[in-house]
Amino acid sequence: MGVMNDPLTNDLFPQALLPVTLQGPADLEGFRRAARALLARQMLPEQVSWHSSDTPVQDLFASPIAGAVAATTAIHNAAFAYAPPVGVPPEFVTLCETAILHSDPNRFGLLYRILWRLAHEPGLRHDPLDADMVMAQQMAQAVRRDMHKMKAFVRFRTVQDETFRSNPGGGPLHVAWFEPEHHIAEAIAPFFARRFTQMRWAVLTPERSIQWDGAQLSFGPGARKSDAPPPDAGEKLWLTYYENIFNPARLKVKMMQKEMPRKYWHNLPEAVLIAPLAAGAHERSARMVDEVPIGPTRRLPDITVLPVTMAPDEDSPVSSLEQLREATNHCLECPIGACATQSVCGEGPLQAKLMFVGEQPGDQEDLQGRPFVGPAGQLLDRALDELGIQRGQVFVSNAVKHFKYELRGQRRIHKTPSQREAAACQHWLDDEIALVQPGLLVALGATAARSLLGRAVPVMANRGRIFERDDGRKVLVTLHPSALLRMPAEGREAAYADWLADLSVLTQQPQD
Ligand code: URA
């Protein structure tokens, strides 16, 4: 096939490359239009040089030829608008959409070459080992990986900006800094808008900044790391949480670096802990193995089973939290109470408008006698912090007031309470609700949802939904934070983002 003369360029400058300048490094529409037009004019891939803001035309005025050719580009760009569509396999369109975001300056040339070849080599679409196709696939895969990492490793910090100061009810601005490898900022923005619909946020990157005002996405120029806010209190909580969930016996450095590559560490608050925790892991796990198994010590004297006649009197509900604590400490309406260290009742202001209900106290809660103080509590605290809700303003409790566990060696492993056990505890929870009178309750997990709504509510199918109880109180159903902690590290951040999105409904609800 001979080289076609392009009426605009090649007649005048047969040796010159035709520079095509796109509007930005991820200008798919511009690329599509230009490629169609070039193909219609039978411009060989080798005759075109592609440019965008990341690969500008070099030496534009260095030679009269280059200058003159550059001048023709504008004419071409106008002509591109009228190019006819080209029939290509749909997989190629999908491949282009992703591979074009790669940072390799040769990506446009490669994709145009494939387009050209698809039009002229019918066998190409059936050749999975073709070098050009393989290279484009690899680019697309690298872009997908970069997007995945951005979803997992973006860390927001709260800023009390002007909008927050004039309307604190709207919640603070959340700002994150991230350095993607490829040109993914605009492509990934809708993901963050969906995940954090109820929050105002901005993600700053060196190339683009993305902003969501709660209703609309907008894009601005790139930023510097120093434009993002410094670490805040929420970050300290994240570090404590990370320290808590770190299990030295399960440390697999290679695996961890695969999931959380070193290049992301400098923007991850928890990364400062990795080296010291990893260095001490061997010693800590050896100590764990050597320790003689011991059961937890009960702080209360042994309890004898109450005769049925001493079961709580339903007609005289408790009138204070102290009374509730005292009564639950002696409750033996189900077997769990006999093994726990103490009962754990709800905590928070009695006039709180918002009440969180979990499943049952965990190991730490059982020892400290306070709800949500262990790892799940720290994750809950982080979420509250990011939503601008103060933990001291909400009431936090559980459906079941004692810790149910199974002893494995020296470890007490959480066991889900049975429906009968939760039902036996129901009246204590009702007492708490009657004392606090919250307008809005949050059911963290299935046990809490059943206790608050009186029937089984599948959590995954109903997460983020608000139900109304018979007494008119509203109940938001979502996952229990422990469910997030149990997830593989890979998906944990994305799951946390979903959870935060469920909870962000709270900032918009009247709680009276
Ligand atoms: N899980 C719960 O459900 N409640 C707590 O208090 C702690 C962990």
Side-chain angles (χ1 to χ4, degrees):
M1 169 162 329
V3 175
M4 300 294 294
N5 281 346
D6 178 82
L8 295 173
T9 315
N10 292 75
D11 283 349
L12 292 172
F13 310 107
Q15 303 306 317
L17 283 178
L18 175 68
V20 176
T21 301
L22 300 174
Q23 298 216 323
D27 178 12
L28 178 65
E29 202 32 55
F31 171 76
R32 198 193 312 239
R33 221 171 333 117
R36 270 184 201 157
L38 293 168
L39 198 63
R41 288 189 169 77
Q42 304 244 12
M43 290 291 286
L44 287 172
E46 316 69 277
Q47 290 178 288
V48 186
S49 72
W50 294 89
H51 305 276
S52 76
S53 51
D54 64 328
T55 50
V57 180
Q58 297 293 320
D59 295 324
L60 198 58
F61 302 105
S63 79
I65 289 181
V69 171
T72 65
T73 306
I75 305 169
H76 270 285
N77 285 345
F80 292 162
Y82 309 108
V86 182
V88 287
E91 310 85 70
F92 176 68
V93 177
T94 314
L95 179 66
C96 270
E97 282 167 5
T98 312
I100 209 165
L101 307 179
H102 200 278
S103 54
D104 187 329
N106 299 317
R107 63 195 178 283
F108 303 117
L110 172 70
L111 293 173
Y112 179 59
R113 190 162 66 239
I114 296 177
L115 178 68
W116 169 273
R117 292 184 56 212
L118 280 169
H120 295 89
E121 296 173 29
L124 178 62
R125 63 183 68 191
H126 307 297
D127 180 3
L129 296 180
D130 177 81
D132 281 347
M133 289 299 260
V134 169
M135 193 183 297
Q137 304 278 13
Q138 284 172 346
M139 283 184 182
Q141 194 174 1
V143 168
R144 281 195 294 271
R145 210 175 305 123
D146 201 29
M147 292 176 114
H148 181 75
K149 298 295 178 201
M150 185 162 175
K151 289 177 191 172
F153 297 140
V154 155
R155 298 282 184 270
F156 284 108
R157 289 165 177 170
T158 49
V159 177
Q160 305 202 342
D161 62 341
E162 188 49 45
T163 311
F164 175 76
R165 282 194 294 276
S166 53
N167 173 24
L173 177 67
H174 296 76
V175 183
W177 167 254
F178 192 79
E179 292 163 73
E181 263 183 64
H182 304 291
H183 307 289
I184 59 173
E186 293 198 18
I188 206 162
F191 163 86
F192 284 101
R194 278 195 308 277
R195 285 290 188 278
F196 300 106
T197 313
Q198 314 285 345
M199 286 167 29
R200 291 185 305 117
W201 55 259
V203 179
L204 311 182
T205 81
E207 186 174 273
R208 294 296 269 157
S209 53
I210 318 166
Q211 186 151 10
W212 172 254
D213 62 5
Q216 223 174 344
L217 274 174
S218 53
F219 300 92
R224 287 162 311 170
K225 188 173 179 178
S226 56
D227 296 328
D232 58 14
E235 208 147 280
K236 283 200 213 94
L237 289 170
W238 169 258
L239 292 182
T240 320
Y241 150 70
Y242 192 77
E243 263 179 325
N244 266 289
I245 60 163
F246 178 79
N247 180 348
R250 292 179 60 194
L251 179 68
K252 295 202 173 46
V253 176
K254 280 218 179 89
M255 192 68 177
M256 189 178 80
Q257 288 190 3
K258 190 163 162 261
E259 298 302 343
M260 197 196 271
R262 270 180 184 278
K263 65 181 175 217
Y264 297 106
W265 288 15
H266 65 289
N267 287 324
L268 288 176
E270 65 270 35
V272 297
L273 293 174
I274 293 173
L277 286 175
H282 183 68
E283 196 201 328
R284 272 179 72 188
S285 54
R287 227 185 307 131
M288 267 170 57
V289 171
D290 288 347
E291 267 166 14
V292 184
I294 38 156
T297 327
R298 279 187 60 90
R299 291 203 197 123
L300 296 173
D302 275 352
I303 308 170
T304 44
V305 177
L306 298 177
V308 177
T309 50
M310 284 183 67
D313 178 356
E314 298 213 339
D315 293 334
S316 53
V318 291
S319 55
S320 71
L321 277 180
E322 291 66 40
Q323 207 185 335
L324 187 76
R325 234 167 258 133
E326 180 61 21
T328 51
N329 254 333
H330 293 92
C331 176
L332 284 174
E333 291 173 65
C334 81
I336 315 182
C339 304
T341 309
Q342 57 194 312
S343 69
V344 178
C345 291
E347 183 181 88
L350 280 188
Q351 66 286 7
K353 303 235 168 22
L354 186 56
M355 177 165 171
F356 286 82
V357 179
E359 181 197 73
Q360 62 166 1
D363 183 74
Q364 290 298 313
E365 289 78 13
D366 170 82
L367 295 172
Q368 296 186 37
R370 297 181 52 210
F372 282 101
V373 289
Q378 276 146 19
L379 198 57
L380 178 63
D381 287 353
R382 178 188 166 198
L384 292 179
D385 193 66
E386 288 185 21
L387 293 170
I389 300 174
Q390 289 180 22
R391 169 140 176 185
Q393 307 264 298
V394 300
F395 196 85
V396 179
S397 189
N398 284 299
V400 171
K401 305 298 178 209
H402 283 110
F403 177 36
K404 180 176 179 184
Y405 61 89
E406 182 182 286
L407 261 186
R408 268 194 229 147
Q410 81 274 36
R411 300 191 67 193
R412 302 191 303 171
I413 307 298
H414 161 276
K415 277 192 83 176
T416 306
S418 69
Q419 275 182 38
R420 277 190 62 210
E421 288 156 347
C425 244
Q426 176 81 51
H427 64 93
W428 298 127
L429 179 63
D430 292 343
D431 282 343
E432 279 179 330
I433 295 174
L435 277 174
V436 180
Q437 301 272 353
L440 180 56
L441 293 125
V442 182
L444 298 170
T447 304
R450 180 187 276 276
S451 293
L452 290 174
L453 293 166
R455 63 186 169 88
V457 178
V459 173
M460 291 313 281
N462 290 289
R463 59 179 303 176
R465 264 187 73 189
I466 295 189
F467 293 78
E468 195 165 300
R469 288 162 40 109
D470 292 344
D471 64 2
R473 294 185 205 290
K474 290 183 179 156
V475 180
L476 169 70
V477 172
T478 187
L479 276 67
H480 191 285
S482 299
L484 308 181
L485 297 179
R486 282 195 299 269
M487 283 180 185
E490 177 78 348
R492 205 179 287 145
E493 267 307 312
Y496 173 77
D498 284 342
W499 188 55
L500 203 61
D502 290 351
L503 292 174
S504 62
V505 173
L506 297 174
T507 58
Q508 311 213 323
Q509 286 293 315
Q511 286 145 30
D512 296 319

